Amino acid sequence: MTETVDMIVKPDSVRRSARMPDYDRARRTFSWAAARAEMSGLPNGRGLNIAHEAVDRHAAVRGDRTALRVLGADGTTTDVTYAELRRRTNRFANALGALGVARGERVFTLLPRVLDLYVAALGTLKAGGVLCPLFSAFGPEPVAERLRLGEGRVLVTTPRLHARRVRPVRAALPALRHVLLAGDPADGPDDGEEGLTSLAALLDAVDDDFAIPPTDPEDPALLHFTSGTTGTPKGAVHVHDAVVAHHATARAALDLGPDDVFWCTADPGWVTGTSYGIIAPLTHGATLLVDEREFDAERWYDVLAGQRVTVWYTAPTALRLLVRHGEAAVARHDLSALRHVASVGEPLDAEVVRWSAEVLGVPVHDNWWQTETGAIMISNFAAEDIRPGSMGRPLPGIEAAVLERGPDGRAWRADGHVRPVRPGVDGELALRAGWPSMFRGYLHQEERYAASFAEGWYLTGDVVRRDADGWYWFAGRADDVIKTAGHLVGPFEVESVLMAHPAVAEAAVIGKPDPVAGELVKAFVTLRPGWTPDASLHDELLSYGRQRLGSVAPRELAVDPHLPHTRSGKILRRLLRARELGLPEGDLSTVETS
Ligand code: AMP
């Protein structure tokens, strides 16, 4: 394999000090039962609850340690100890009880990274509610769609986000009983508006004490929406047992432990923002850095240096922006505390790995996983050499395979069986079902869930190849979903919104390569009779998309009178994409030409 020639070799001192010093040995000796035994469990054998593992177990023995260090948008720094986090999350759990929220009901958050997010998330888990975090950059349509599909009972948001994203759609959400507004109740334009409750006032009125009710490890805990090529977004359901995988993988893949200052820059609406942006650093008793502000290269270096961050988990898009920002900024900062840098969510360019090794002094370690897997599945480990451009190798406890693909691009199951391909050959990445953070269902979509498995393998929808030494290399998606700046966008959701515009007869959306965001969303539309494809309509359609969809809206749009269809009438996004990029058009036998 040509890829194996290029390696970043780790010094022995780094290998020895890693929390998992020997990958092969760890794979041989690992068991999920042993990983589960590291959890403390609820007192008196009352089960397993994520929030107990993250907060209460530490509050009991070293409550004065800093759990969260919040770097406020106003420049302030607030430290929250484990004992204080216990009190605050107890109050949130009591508040849900006071509102009459029943176990298993869904509590949504539409919040930026602010302290209330962590309190609401962990308080919900204590109370036995199911947490569903949304991206705060979503427009009103994706917010409403997910609240509707997830039958959200409670939404925690800010006055500003409520006014822009929720108020326009609230009437269409009868199941949504309570909207709790975080922040100072006097701040918001919604102060006093009917149907809204100030979170601060609600928390003031309840008790500090709360006993987590018995929790079965298989009780639902988290709901994360993700996108497919067709149909509505899929709500992946995770259970409390997932914490076993959050904890074990954070140590193995992120080299995380109790003495770390950990910074995860992921958006709280993304699965990474929960598994590793909230839960895992706390289960380890580490200090989790919470930065309320958005990306700014110079300030990010200030945070890394000033807070003495030891483990940093970020994304390729952000790293590419740092590369562009130049090396001089790095030289002005003392990054000597930084021990491990990891990234996830989109392909990580080999050049960025090398840049990081040279300029930051530590290479970026790529990790692969997805909403459905709940935790990192494939990783470059702290003690192991890196093959730049490779996603790494499967975690201890995870069995992966590369399966032969059929004519539809997915794992070939025509005869009922799946077949692995040879090393070096592209195929669909599959994982042997059964790890603790594996999703337990797509909410209300049992068939779709069942279709994700074959012969005991979970089929990921990603095309990869494995080299002769067992390293995995990402090749692309087996479907039409788009990855833009780390976010998965379902083309159908975007197309449906565009088609609600009176000028649009048909819409198709593709991912177009972009040097920073990986891909950007590009839309093609055909117009209804009587509409002229001029510049003002073009701009109006883009702004129509932006207002309704927010961050998943198309950034480019073209009017094209001839969108390619299959004979059965489906738009062929694959062909549009090939044409846009000047790539070979592939097999056109199913294309409607008339
Ligand atoms: P999400 O469920 O939104 O986290 O998106 C998961 C998808 O992101 C995966 O199925 C991959 O297509 C992509 N992805 C995640 N990690 C990587 C990675 N390290 N390299 C390439 N693609 C990745």
Side-chain angles (χ1 to χ4, degrees), residues 483-569:
K483 257 279 157 146
T484 178
H487 301 306
L488 206 61
V489 178
F492 181 75
E493 187 170 21
V494 179
E495 290 159 3
S496 308
V497 164
L498 290 176
M499 281 170 66
H501 188 282
V504 176
E506 211 173 18
V509 164
I510 62 161
K512 180 179 169 184
D514 178 81
V516 172
E519 286 185 318
L520 59 79
V521 179
K522 173 156 189 178
F524 295 82
V525 296
T526 58
L527 299 182
R528 288 182 189 281
W531 292 84
T532 318
D534 55 18
S536 92
L537 180 62
H538 170 267
D539 294 353
E540 183 189 322
L541 289 174
L542 279 178
S543 117
Y544 180 86
R546 258 194 319 273
Q547 275 166 24
R548 280 158 186 80
L549 290 159
S551 57
V552 299
R555 295 252 302 276
E556 285 186 13
L557 182 134
V559 176
D560 185 337
H562 303 293
L563 295 182
H565 290 88
T566 62
R567 286 181 204 283
S568 58

Side-chain angles (χ1 to χ4, degrees), residues 270 345-347 366-371 462 474 477 483 488:
W270 184 27
E346 20 163 352
D366 191 16
N367 292 275
W368 181 96
W369 60 295
Q370 55 180 198
T371 303
D462 275 18
F474 183 78
R477 286 285 308 186
K483 257 279 157 146
L488 206 61

Side-chain angles (χ1 to χ4, degrees), residues 212-416:
I212 299 179
T215 310
D216 189 287
E218 288 300 311
D219 281 350
L222 306 164
L223 175 67
H224 288 291
F225 280 97
T226 183
S227 300
T229 310
T230 56
T232 55
K234 304 179 275 189
V237 177
H238 293 279
V239 298
H240 281 271
D241 203 40
V243 70
V244 174
H246 299 150
H247 187 81
T249 56
R251 180 170 46 221
L254 303 180
D255 203 41
L256 188 68
D259 41 357
D260 278 312
V261 176
F262 178 67
W263 187 24
C264 173
T265 63
D267 191 291
W270 184 27
V271 66
T272 308
T274 305
S275 298
Y276 302 99
I278 303 179
I279 298 168
L282 298 178
T283 66
H284 279 279
T287 294
L288 172 60
L289 206 58
V290 174
D291 178 28
E292 290 191 355
R293 284 184 277 185
E294 291 309 317
F295 178 84
D296 174 297
E298 200 66 33
R299 207 178 53 75
W300 273 30
Y301 286 126
D302 288 346
V303 171
L304 286 170
Q307 299 299 328
R308 309 287 299 158
V309 172
T310 56
V311 180
W312 182 36
Y313 194 24
T314 189
T317 296
L319 289 163
R320 286 190 287 265
L321 288 168
L322 290 180
V323 174
R324 283 193 169 190
H325 187 68
E327 297 175 17
V330 183
R332 286 194 293 274
H333 293 86
D334 170 10
L335 301 183
S336 57
L338 194 58
R339 191 182 77 249
H340 190 77
V341 180
S343 116
V344 68
E346 20 163 352
L348 178 65
D349 333 80
E351 300 74 52
V352 175
V353 180
R354 284 190 216 100
W355 170 87
S356 165
E358 277 161 33
V359 177
L360 300 181
V362 271
V364 191
H365 296 75
D366 191 16
N367 292 275
W368 181 96
W369 60 295
Q370 55 180 198
T371 303
E372 287 85 343
T373 70
I376 299 167
M377 298 282 108
I378 295 180
S379 176
N380 286 278
F381 303 98
E384 306 297 314
D385 297 340
I386 294 183
R387 302 180 178 199
S390 162
M391 313 194 300
R393 291 181 289 174
L395 267 86
I398 299 300
E399 190 189 344
V402 185
L403 303 179
E404 189 184 338
R405 297 198 297 154
D408 65 350
R410 302 298 307 267
W412 174 254
R413 285 179 281 178
D415 58 0

Side-chain angles (χ1 to χ4, degrees), residues 439-489:
F439 70 137
R440 299 296 196 272
Y442 286 128
L443 192 70
H444 307 318
Q445 299 194 56
E446 276 165 35
E447 273 178 32
R448 228 168 162 181
Y449 183 65
S452 313
F453 295 86
E455 289 195 282
W457 293 100
Y458 163 63
L459 310 173
T460 66
D462 275 18
V463 180
V464 303
R465 64 184 184 286
R466 180 170 52 193
D467 66 27
D469 303 316
W471 262 258
Y472 284 73
W473 301 77
F474 183 78
R477 286 285 308 186
D479 57 19
D480 289 334
V481 295
I482 300 160
K483 257 279 157 146
T484 178
H487 301 306
L488 206 61
V489 178

Side-chain angles (χ1 to χ4, degrees), residues 12 100 170 213 491:
D12 278 349
R170 174 104 193 243

